[in-house]
Amino acid sequence: MDSEDRIALFLDYENLALGARDHLGGMAFDFRPIADALAERGRVVVRRAYADWSYFDEDRRMLTRSHVELIEMPQRMGAARKNAADIKMAVDAMELAFEREYISTFVLCTGDSDFTPLVDKLRGLNKRVIGVGVEKSTSALLPPACDEFLYYDRLEGVEAPAAPARAGRRRAEPEPAPPPERPRDTDALAELVAQTVAGLLGSSGGEVSASTLKRTLLRKDPTFTESDYGFRAFGELLRHLADRNVIELSDGPAKGDPEVALPEHGDQESAFALLRSVVQDATNGDGGVALSGLKNQVRRVRPDFSEKKLGYRTFLQFCKAASTAGAVQLRWSPDADDYLLTAA
């Protein structure tokens, strides 16, 4: 148990309930999907929800069944009532951060950007902060401030009701097509993962575990989740990329946490050969080919080419590696104010 994260959960209930009602087809807010998501991340030791409960009387039973402590805010008008709940929630979170050192993770269920300073302060106290909010009612400023951000409408178990048909619509009229799902660009995902693994290998000089890779991806994008790309678990995503030869997996010291590396041969050697061929065809005399525009020439030959899939952050870095491998020669030209490449 000592290795588990201890979690303190704070719900800005008005923000969540109204966000679900206004942006998810009028659905009632359900706490269970949040509880299930947090159960996978640690042990929740504090559960508190803040609201004027006279406005949410029907939700009391649902929350108390889940052992959520209801913090009653005195009834006030408009913004004054909302600000009082926000201030009380922020004060309680800071109080717990100082009084209970064993709490390692704070979960703030809100989409309000007013909580961004609280997130910054908690992270400054070495606390992990997870945000939860309805996507369309969440400020764009809040997710990047968190260590991880979960959109409520994407959690397992949240199913927004279909929009009701318009009154008076004729039966013969076809139903509108459902809104398209969020695009799942697996090519962009492959580039992101390969680039991240390359960066971790370069900075650590050692092995990269799957758990370290996942934490780093969340630092780059706190809203990252493998389910957006159609994978049930991060391990399933890694196995998919390994089958595509984007990464290599091997057993790690901990069971279920494999080591992740980049392929040393295969695609990289093929990419170096492709670069050499393009440079050789484009070389005009002894001057060589300028680096600027060369990537576009490579893509004309192979449209799916991407140096990031091979773990290189930039095309120049890829060309330098090809030069080290002996595929091309690379030199700086003051006259051209650019790098020039010739086939080795």
Side-chain angles (χ1 to χ4, degrees), residues 17 38 110 112-113 115 161 194-195 213 225 260 288 320 328:
L38 297 184
T110 181
D112 194 341
S113 62
F115 286 98
Q195 182 181 19
L213 175 60
T225 171
V260 186
K320 287 181 177 180
V328 295

Side-chain angles (χ1 to χ4, degrees), residues 9 11 16 29-38 109 132 152 155:
L9 170 64
L11 294 100
L16 287 177
F29 174 79
D30 184 8
F31 176 71
R32 176 52 53 186
I34 294 179
D36 291 344
L38 297 184
C109 296
V132 182
Y152 174 76
L155 295 179

Side-chain angles (χ1 to χ4, degrees), residues 12 38 180 189 288:
D12 178 8
L38 297 184
L189 174 65

Side-chain angles (χ1 to χ4, degrees), residues 223-339:
T223 67
F224 171 82
T225 171
E226 57 275 3
S227 62
D228 283 347
Y229 299 91
F231 300 101
R232 293 168 294 181
F234 191 62
E236 183 180 344
L237 181 155
L238 293 180
R239 289 190 293 273
H240 170 77
L241 295 180
D243 291 340
R244 292 180 55 186
N245 203 33
V246 176
I247 58 173
E248 289 181 347
L249 298 177
S250 59
D251 293 337
K255 185 177 180 181
D257 192 12
E259 290 181 359
V260 186
L262 296 174
E264 296 182 0
H265 304 288
D267 285 351
Q268 181 169 269
E269 293 179 351
S270 173
F272 288 165
L274 171 65
L275 177 66
R276 182 183 184 281
S277 174
V278 171
V279 168
Q280 191 171 30
D281 292 342
T283 298
N284 184 12
D286 297 330
V289 181
L291 179 69
S292 302
L294 180 59
K295 183 175 178 178
N296 290 334
Q297 297 182 56
V298 173
R299 281 185 165 170
R300 290 192 190 100
V301 179
R302 186 184 297 175
D304 64 342
F305 170 82
S306 171
E307 71 280 357
K308 292 182 176 62
K309 290 182 182 179
L310 303 168
Y312 299 102
R313 297 181 180 178
T314 64
F315 186 65
L316 173 60
Q317 189 182 51
F318 166 73
C319 291
K320 287 181 177 180
S323 176
T324 302
V328 295
Q329 293 179 347
L330 180 70
R331 62 182 177 86
W332 173 258
S333 171
D335 295 334
D337 194 27
D338 199 354
Y339 285 97

